[in-house]
Amino acid sequence: MLSAGLVATAMRRLEWRVPQLTVQPPGGATLVNLPTIVFAGGAQTQTLTTTLLTQAVTIEARPVSYAWDFGDGARLVTAKPGRPYPDLDVAHRYPRPGRFQVALATSFVGRFRAGDGPWRPIPGQLVLASTPQPLRVVEARPQLRGE
């Protein structure tokens, strides 16, 4: 019989789609004190099938939390993946200029079933890290120009 621990180990070894971290405004730069929007694209429930102990096993991974690291010491954990502009579901204001790495780790909970059997929970969580995004934060400097 398959143990939940064996399935948890198999779950960590499978190749899951990692949610894509997007930072807005696009282009890798933002302004000091401007809301910089982040969101996880493709963050959805995924299902994979594998074979364990000669049995076909279906494993389902459902995203449950998103840990954002803005690279300037600020961190945030949310239950939602955020949304693109104009929504400000997940946003951060950088208080000073600099170069930062924005990172995202998405946590998934899992369940499994062997063949057509009942679904059973998988202990622990699967954490998938997205590719960090470099971000340059600059100050806007007003300039008057004569004609």
Side-chain angles (χ1 to χ4, degrees):
M1 177 163 186
L2 291 173
S3 71
L6 176 65
V7 176
T9 299
M11 180 180 183
R12 287 190 295 277
R13 292 183 180 154
L14 292 172
E15 294 199 23
W16 300 95
R17 284 186 320 276
V18 178
Q20 179 182 352
L21 168 61
T22 300
V23 179
Q24 292 180 324
T30 190
L31 294 173
V32 169
N33 293 320
L34 177 77
T36 301
I37 299 165
V38 293
F39 62 94
Q44 58 199 22
T45 300
Q46 301 177 50
T47 304
L48 295 176
T49 301
T50 190
T51 301
L52 295 173
L53 302 177
T54 70
Q55 295 183 53
V57 178
T58 303
I59 301 175
E60 181 182 273
R62 180 176 50 88
V64 292
S65 69
Y66 305 85
W68 310 92
D69 182 337
F70 297 100
D72 64 346
R75 292 190 164 117
L76 177 66
V77 176
T78 64
K80 302 272 184 183
R83 293 181 291 176
Y85 181 83
D87 294 301
L88 295 172
D89 295 343
V90 184
H92 176 64
R93 292 176 189 262
Y94 287 87
R96 66 186 192 294
R99 292 184 180 273
F100 306 98
Q101 287 284 324
V102 182
L104 166 64
T106 305
S107 295
F108 293 78
V109 294
R111 66 181 189 157
F112 77 98
R113 69 179 181 181
D116 292 328
W119 286 101
R120 294 174 44 201
I122 299 172
Q125 292 188 349
L126 171 68
V127 179
L128 300 178
S130 301
T131 302
Q133 300 295 314
L135 183 66
R136 188 169 54 93
V137 179
V138 298
E139 285 185 300
R141 298 180 193 262
Q143 295 181 358
L144 294 176
R145 296 188 182 233
E147 291 188 49

